[in-house]
Amino acid sequence: MQRGIIIFATLFMFAACSPKLRSVINNPQEPLGTHEMVLVLGIQDPFENDGIDIGVLISSDNGFSTNCSYYEVIEHLKNLARENGANIVKITEHAVPDRLSSCDRISANIYKVPNFRKHEKEVEWNEKRKLTWEDFKGKQKIVSNNGVGAQSYCGFGFQSNYVTAFSKTKIFVRTTFDCDLSWVREDQINNAELLNHEQFHFNLSELYARQLRKRFAEVEINAFNLNVQANTIFKQVYTEYLERQEAYDYETNHGLDQEKQNEWQFTIENELAALSLYTE
């Protein structure tokens, strides 16, 4: 009897930590694989449905929720979308944490479209998700070096959960590629070597995102030092990152020096592997 009570209490505590999830599914589709990509679009992101309208997802505070920061909620919604065969989550409402709730409360419509990449505004770094020239949706800009065939706008940033003196600080670091700012010259869209060079700009961004996660993990960050401590560390890592990106372009001559390009790729891949514990 005593053992049964303990197990029940443990399960209740686990459930209470998660946000309250509800769904209204009108047109369920074949479930997607656990690791299949699901695109999340914000409230301001334009979207014209060219596929199937599956239903609505809602995440709210159950009164005891703790694991309900924005990125944690988004992961729950993406998993629900996969279960119902959707590859797009379009946020329609978002209430940020306030004095009444420490949770991000989100409502979203979910869809199954033929090609989710068509709707992407940004690409989040993923080992299996390589860049294609279709991701470079921006208009070509005039640059001082007319020989430039493409430009990638990628980087990393961080966001914390809603922190109080009684809650644990969680910091989420994301590496993203901006599709609408990144561009390629029309005469370079079949240049596989140039695309590979741009991919390693993106990989270099992920490398320093992992460096940032590592440095955050090495210090104690709480409600009292969050702003100063986290921002100081970020500025240090970002300065190092910018210097490394410039060195990569300079030493490889923007990818034209294939020997140097290979050397940089080998180095970046090894450094990423060395920081594999900090992928998220």
Side-chain angles (χ1 to χ4, degrees):
M1 177 65 70
Q2 185 177 6
R3 183 185 177 192
I5 293 173
I6 292 173
I7 292 175
F8 177 80
T10 302
L11 291 174
F12 175 78
M13 288 170 63
F14 176 79
C17 289
S18 300
K20 182 179 180 180
L21 300 173
R22 291 178 289 149
S23 61
V24 179
I25 306 300
N26 301 315
N27 196 2
Q29 302 297 302
E30 189 72 22
L32 303 183
T34 305
H35 301 293
E36 285 195 55
M37 299 294 294
V38 174
L39 172 63
V40 178
L41 297 173
I43 294 176
Q44 303 302 325
D45 292 331
F47 172 70
E48 293 184 11
N49 181 25
D50 58 344
I52 301 169
D53 186 343
I54 293 178
V56 177
L57 305 180
I58 301 171
S59 176
S60 57
D61 190 341
N62 66 17
F64 301 94
S65 303
T66 54
N67 300 324
C68 54
S69 62
Y70 176 79
Y71 291 116
E72 290 171 311
V73 170
I74 288 298
E75 284 305 310
H76 284 299
L77 296 183
K78 287 166 70 173
N79 288 333
L80 269 179
R82 290 187 185 98
E83 290 173 10
N84 290 283
N87 56 4
I88 285 188
V89 173
K90 177 65 172 75
I91 297 174
T92 55
E93 297 180 30
H94 180 196
V96 298
D98 52 32
R99 62 185 181 84
L100 298 178
S101 173
S102 60
C103 290
D104 282 83
R105 290 141 289 163
I106 296 174
S107 298
N109 296 330
I110 57 174
Y111 305 88
K112 175 66 177 292
V113 299
N115 179 17
F116 72 87
R117 292 190 179 193
K118 170 184 173 182
H119 302 280
E120 282 182 315
K121 311 297 288 181
E122 66 178 22
V123 176
E124 188 165 357
W125 193 92
N126 184 293
E127 186 177 9
K128 297 180 180 179
R129 192 342 188 155
K130 305 301 182 184
L131 295 175
T132 71
W133 285 131
E134 292 180 352
D135 299 320
F136 292 70
K137 300 177 182 180
K139 294 183 179 180
Q140 180 180 344
K141 294 179 174 58
I142 298 174
V143 293
S144 56
N145 183 354
N146 291 327
V148 174
Q151 279 195 335
S152 294
Y153 285 79
C154 53
F156 58 91
F158 74 94
Q159 180 178 324
S160 75
N161 60 329
Y162 184 77
V163 185
T164 70
F166 307 102
S167 62
K168 181 180 178 181
T169 303
K170 299 177 184 178
I171 300 182
F172 305 91
V173 180
R174 296 174 68 238
T175 307
T176 55
F177 173 94
D178 192 310
C179 298
D180 289 341
L181 291 178
S182 302
W183 58 267
V184 57
R185 272 200 344 237
E186 189 173 348
D187 63 339
Q188 296 296 315
I189 57 175
N190 294 316
N191 189 335
E193 291 181 353
L194 178 59
L195 179 59
N196 182 62
H197 176 77
E198 299 305 315
Q199 175 67 56
F200 273 85
H201 273 299
F202 197 18
N203 292 356
L204 200 53
S205 298
E206 170 62 15
L207 172 59
Y208 279 86
R210 295 185 188 185
Q211 286 278 10
L212 183 61
R213 295 186 189 106
K214 180 176 183 293
R215 297 197 195 182
F216 281 154
E218 292 171 341
V219 299
E220 182 180 349
I221 300 178
N222 52 48
F224 305 104
N225 67 4
L226 172 62
N227 288 335
V228 173
Q229 185 79 287
N231 282 305
T232 298
I233 293 172
F234 175 77
K235 289 177 182 177
Q236 292 171 348
V237 174
Y238 204 76
T239 298
E240 296 168 11
Y241 161 73
L242 292 177
E243 292 173 352
R244 197 85 182 278
Q245 286 282 22
E246 289 182 6
Y248 171 56
D249 258 344
Y250 177 77
E251 292 186 18
T252 63
N253 192 18
H254 300 278
L256 295 175
D257 187 330
Q258 194 57 53
E259 182 178 351
K260 284 294 184 182
Q261 179 68 34
N262 291 338
E263 289 177 7
W264 269 88
Q265 289 179 200
F266 181 78
T267 299
I268 292 171
E269 287 172 347
N270 281 343
E271 291 184 19
L272 280 169
L275 292 169
S276 60
L277 292 177
Y278 301 96
T279 54
E280 58 182 36

